[in-house]
Amino acid sequence: MNQQHENNPFMKGYIYGIYCKTTKKLYIGSSISPMKKRLSDHISDMKGAMGLLNCKRNYRTSSEVLIGENYIHWKIEDFPCETKKELHYRETLWIIKGRKECQCVNRNLPVFIPKKDQSLLDLSVLSLSFSFLEDLS
C-alpha cells in the first residue's frame, strides 16, 4: 500500500449493523472509528436524547434498536475507500437493501437517491443477505 493510502483515514472504512433481537429492528451505519467507540457514541446519543446525560443530544434512529439493551453490534463489511462520499454511498446501498429485506430503522440516506431510482440500483454488489438475522432471534 502506498503512503497516500496509509494516511487516508477512509481506508479504515467499514459498514456496521446494530440489531435488536427483541424487535428485530436493524440500524445500519458506516464509520472509520473503532467499532467500540462508534457503539459508545450511539449509546451516548440515545441517553442524551432521553435526558439521561448532562448534555442534550439529537435523537437518532439507532435508539430504536438500542433501547431494550438486547442488541448485537457487528461489522457487516470492511470498505476501504478514498473519500467520505464513497463510504456514505456504500452505506446508502446497505440501507436500501436493509429496507427491502428486514426492518431497517434508518430514516435518512447518507447520499440522496430519489425513490424512483432506488429500484434501478444493483444491490447484488453487496455480499451479505440479511436472512441470517432470523437465526439470531
Side-chain angles (χ1 to χ4, degrees):
M1 191 177 287
N2 67 33
Q3 179 103 18
Q4 183 179 355
H5 283 281
E6 289 176 10
N7 293 331
N8 183 344
F10 292 98
M11 295 306 292
K12 296 177 184 173
Y14 63 92
I15 307 298
Y16 64 90
I18 308 172
Y19 177 75
C20 177
K21 295 191 276 184
T22 304
T23 64
K24 298 182 171 96
K25 292 181 180 180
L26 172 69
Y27 175 85
I28 297 171
S30 66
S31 188
I32 58 174
S33 298
M35 284 186 61
K36 189 174 183 177
K37 163 94 171 78
R38 192 65 195 103
L39 179 60
S40 175
D41 292 344
H42 280 287
I43 292 169
S44 293
D45 288 341
M46 178 188 69
K47 289 179 178 178
M50 293 170 66
L52 301 175
L53 300 177
N54 290 335
C55 59
K56 183 74 173 150
R57 300 278 180 107
N58 290 331
Y59 173 81
R60 299 195 189 283
T61 56
S62 59
S63 298
E64 294 177 31
V65 176
L66 296 169
I67 194 81
E69 297 183 3
N70 187 23
Y71 60 86
I72 59 168
H73 177 241
W74 82 104
K75 187 182 291 186
I76 293 174
E77 72 171 343
D78 286 311
F79 190 71
C81 55
E82 296 290 329
T83 66
K84 184 175 189 174
K85 185 175 181 177
E86 287 178 79
L87 185 59
H88 280 176
Y89 183 77
R90 187 68 169 197
E91 177 187 358
T92 298
L93 293 180
W94 276 107
I95 292 168
I96 292 168
K97 184 173 184 169
R99 287 175 177 173
K100 290 179 181 196
E101 295 185 19
C102 56
Q103 295 183 58
C104 183
V105 299
N106 297 65
R107 291 194 185 119
N108 301 317
L109 296 175
V111 174
F112 176 73
I113 299 172
K115 205 141 187 85
K116 65 180 179 60
D117 296 336
Q118 290 180 20
S119 62
L120 303 175
L121 295 173
D122 181 11
L123 300 179
S124 65
V125 298
L126 306 178
S127 59
L128 180 69
S129 165
F130 290 112
S131 61
F132 76 95
L133 292 175
E134 295 168 11
D135 299 332
L136 298 174
S137 301

